[in-house]
Amino acid sequence: MYDGALGDLIEELGQLPGIGPKSAQRLAFHLLASESADVERLTSALERVKAQVRFCEVCGNVTEAEQCGICRDPRRSEALICVVEEPKDVLAIERTGEFRGRYHVLGGAINPLEGIGPDDLRIRQLMVRLQAGETTELIIATDPNTEGEATATYLAMLLKPMGLKVTRLASGLPVGGDLEYADEVTLGRAFSGRRDMD
Amino acid sequence: MYDGALGDLIEELGQLPGIGPKSAQRLAFHLLASESADVERLTSALERVKAQVRFCEVCGNVTEAEQCGICRDPRRSEALICVVEEPKDVLAIERTGEFRGRYHVLGGAINPLEGIGPDDLRIRQLMVRLQAGETTELIIATDPNTEGEATATYLAMLLKPMGLKVTRLASGLPVGGDLEYADEVTLGRAFSGRRDMD
């Protein structure tokens, strides 16, 4: 509906995930009214991300160097590798402060409906990495959904014969959640995974 | 949590209205994974908006010329001016196809709590415009909320002594809405504004 640059901007913003036509319009008017310096900081960050950010050659996490900070950190142990789908999962786990091993980012999950098979994920690179023989346990932390479960099952099938310990993150009720609102699959998992109280 | 360019981008995206930290992260990763050509179209549109888009010197609508397309259109009548708060309101009214007059964009509404008074709006420019004597009716189409009503009342007080017809958009039940879910103020307006049936 808008012509020219403003129309182009609304259209481009509307292509972004989670940004509908109304949000795109609101964002475009916000940016139009913003200080030029603020908008330049945004475009500059965007250009730097495209120019400088790449994927760690070891684990596949995002980095601006050849290897990410976690792979370069000698205090982090290669004995324990946590396998995740996406770089943002690395950050989520780092925030817990519970894990001192290293990561392997698959770059997605097996999804036959979208044509994503094991060869499309960084599984071959994981195999190469395991050949160094330093790793004893793999924690499969793919998402607790159909694709994540399929990927976890596939990886377990591949890795267990190599004599490695393969574990999966616990499924159950979210802490602070309400039992009444848990879906039946989660509640079923919480029952089957119940633990003795100390 | 992220360092470098990616962290900067997440922070800048998180400054935008309606974009929380999670959305900013999701958008940043989406942009990181996007084709460079797509990202360049976005940054280019953004740069062109900042460089080229300005406000119509007559009505205050957005334009890339000195005057907007509506003010330049000789088929649109200056006899009827619709006063709105923001440029996006012009687009909303244009979409109805019901209005063939011209617009005047105030650039906001009177809001004492945020320190926005009549002098902060384009009311002086409206007065100058009315001195040409071409205008006979003003339709006040500010938002149907406290600020919009205050602005409408102020404008009516200012304009009526000039011998101009001043009208306000009808308030009432939204078409396709459900009477049960209408708030009491809207329902009250719908009663007091009831019309004879044809």
Side-chain angles (χ1 to χ4, degrees), chain A residues 1-2 4-5 8 12 17 25 30-32 34 41 43 46-50 62 64 87-88 91 95, chain B residues 1-2 4-5 8 12 17 25 30-32 34 41 43 46-50 62 64 87-88 91 95:
Chain A
M1 294 293 285
Y2 285 99
D8 292 347
E12 292 299 330
Q25 188 179 306
H30 172 86
L31 290 162
L32 175 61
S34 297
R41 277 208 311 284
T43 52
L46 200 43
E47 280 160 5
R48 280 182 293 124
V49 160
K50 296 307 284 182
V62 288
E64 293 185 31
K88 56 178 175 273
L91 190 73
R95 270 197 290 257
Chain B
M1 295 294 284
Y2 285 98
D8 292 348
E12 292 299 330
Q25 188 179 304
H30 172 86
L31 291 162
L32 175 61
S34 296
R41 276 208 313 281
T43 52
L46 201 41
E47 281 159 5
R48 280 183 292 124
V49 161
K50 295 308 284 184
V62 288
E64 293 185 31
K88 55 178 174 274
L91 190 72
R95 271 198 289 257

Side-chain angles (χ1 to χ4, degrees), chain A residues 27 30 41, chain B residues 8-20 24:
Chain A
L27 285 172
H30 172 86
R41 277 208 311 284
Chain B
D8 292 348
L9 180 59
I10 293 171
E11 194 187 316
E12 292 299 330
L13 290 169
Q15 308 283 328
L16 299 175
I19 309 279

